[in-house]
Amino acid sequence: MMPADLDADAERLREAMAKALAGEGVLTDPGWRAAVERVPRHRFVPGFYLPADQYDGQGLTVWEPVTTELDYGRWLGAAYSDTTLITQFDGDEPDWKNPQVRHGGAPTSSSTLPSLVVRMWADADVQEGHTVLEIGTGTGYSTALACERLGSADVTSIEVDPHRLQHAAGALYACGYTPTLAVADGLYGYWPEAKFDRIVAACSFRAVPPALLAQTRPGGRILLTLSGWLYGYARVLLTVNGDGTAEGQLLGGTVSFMSARTHAAPVFGNPAHWAAGLPEACRVARHSPERITAATEEAFHLRFLAQCAVPDAQMTTAGDVVHLIDVVTGSAATLTPTGDRWEVREGGPVRLWERIEGVLSAYDEADRPGPESFTLHVYDGGQQLRHPQMPGLPLPSP
């Protein structure tokens, strides 16, 4: 049962959140600030999960359900915090009438933190009069912000999960927003409402889907996150040309989004099985794997560049040993720490770590350029990341 003063509590917290975001320089546009002050986020997240302070005995994240029935104050406070709220794991819809604590699991839907939602709309330069396609409706909160700013008639939002879209639609319509909604795979956009002035994706792709270019007006822009099986991420803002090509710079920061489900990494099996097939001969690594695994902004950037060199590789750590596994070519590599160095064993048609080392060396020789100095070129038959002082890095086929 909702408290009688819910609306007043929510309005107070909403205004406080908007003020805090404005103070952090996120809400510089009066139109987006007004949208944040008006859209009731709590209506879109009746239930969600938050991580506990400690892992369980197996080292898994403990996810605690949060609803108004379980803890009104925690639920409403989190709804108006600048936090991502997880609403689904492994594609399974929770039973919010009887939610259970979860141990581990892969989040597959969420309400993205408000600062990032606003940042995405602002980075895409979404303005009044633009027709917009949002890929990944999720809870519907970001859709509501767009409707509040642009008007519902100019907003189309698609979601691959029908249960998620049903919940989002209910919340949107209850709040008076009536955008075009559809169950659809973001890989193919949404032709019935094309063409769009702006396309903004709240999920990540291995490469830019060609359908999105075809559904964008010349001069229009596409903002999306590129990712891959090494979990390297980069955001790119593309401008679509009249000839069907597009180009744009990578954006700075360390933003990550869940992968589009059709671009998710395949299961690779037991790392020990892959390592058993490697030759006994080893060599000393020219670069430490910590260059792409460290919790730094540079490592975040480097992980994406490395991923471009080995787009089908995945990485996992067992004990002290780092494993690279490529289920497409059957290639594998291990990196084992030995004193102050790392020893590499590689097998298969692709020398995975050798390719990554080539990118890392080129990056160092180019004086360690940041993301904003790279340009993505999308053209008929290919997509390539370019830098004036580094060799081009092709993206995988969409």
Side-chain angles (χ1 to χ4, degrees), residues 199-211:
I199 295 180
V200 177
C203 61
S204 62
F205 296 95
R206 298 185 73 200
V208 181

Side-chain angles (χ1 to χ4, degrees), residues 148-240:
E148 185 68 45
R149 175 67 190 272
L150 305 176
S152 297
D154 287 332
V155 178
T156 298
S157 185
I158 60 175
E159 169 63 50
V160 72
D161 187 318
H163 297 291
R164 285 286 85 212
L165 189 67
Q166 182 179 12
H167 285 287
L172 284 163
Y173 297 153
C175 292
Y177 303 116
T178 56
T180 299
L181 301 174
V183 176
D185 189 332
L187 188 64
Y188 306 102
Y190 198 62
W191 284 103
E193 296 295 318
K195 290 187 174 184
F196 302 97
D197 295 300
R198 299 288 186 269
I199 295 180
V200 177
C203 61
S204 62
F205 296 95
R206 298 185 73 200
V208 181
L212 302 188
L213 269 65
Q215 294 175 30
T216 304
R217 291 191 178 95
R221 293 182 175 180
I222 301 171
L223 178 66
L224 52 73
T225 301
L226 298 168
S227 68
W229 297 347
L230 281 185
Y231 297 103
Y233 297 89
R235 287 195 313 149
V236 63
L237 179 61
L238 295 167
T239 298
V240 176

Side-chain angles (χ1 to χ4, degrees), residues 113-139:
L113 64 162
S115 62
L116 178 54
V117 172
V118 173
R119 179 178 168 188
M120 293 288 284
W121 291 126
D123 284 348
D125 190 28
V126 174
Q127 302 287 342
E128 287 85 350
H130 284 162
T131 54
V132 172
L133 172 64
E134 177 190 40
I135 298 174
T137 312
T139 64

Side-chain angles (χ1 to χ4, degrees), residues 207-366:
V208 181
L212 302 188
L213 269 65
Q215 294 175 30
T216 304
R217 291 191 178 95
R221 293 182 175 180
I222 301 171
L223 178 66
L224 52 73
T225 301
L226 298 168
S227 68
W229 297 347
L230 281 185
Y231 297 103
Y233 297 89
R235 287 195 313 149
V236 63
L237 179 61
L238 295 167
T239 298
V240 176
N241 303 314
D243 59 1
T245 64
E247 62 181 54
Q249 290 182 312
L250 299 188
L251 304 181
T254 55
V255 172
S256 61
F257 276 104
M258 299 172 192
S259 294
R261 297 191 186 183
T262 46
H263 279 190
V267 177
F268 55 75
N270 187 335
H273 296 167
W274 291 83
L278 294 176
E280 291 298 323
C282 65
R283 65 175 177 85
V284 176
R286 289 186 287 141
H287 295 278
S288 162
E290 294 167 328
R291 292 202 65 184
I292 63 173
T293 60
T296 65
E297 190 163 333
E298 183 182 51
F300 188 93
H301 172 46
L302 278 176
R303 197 177 181 102
F304 176 74
L305 299 182
Q307 179 178 269
C308 293
V310 288
D312 299 323
Q314 298 180 66
M315 183 165 57
T316 188
T317 302
D320 293 331
V321 180
V322 176
H323 295 257
L324 287 165
I325 296 165
D326 181 343
V327 302
V328 176
T329 67
S331 304
T334 59
L335 292 102
T336 305
T338 305
D340 59 353
R341 66 186 189 182
W342 290 80
E343 293 185 345
V344 184
R345 295 167 59 208
E346 296 181 281
V350 178
R351 294 296 186 261
L352 299 174
W353 191 248
E354 185 176 317
R355 283 197 179 181
I356 292 176
E357 286 178 321
V359 171
L360 296 178
S361 293
Y363 171 79
D364 291 341
E365 291 169 5

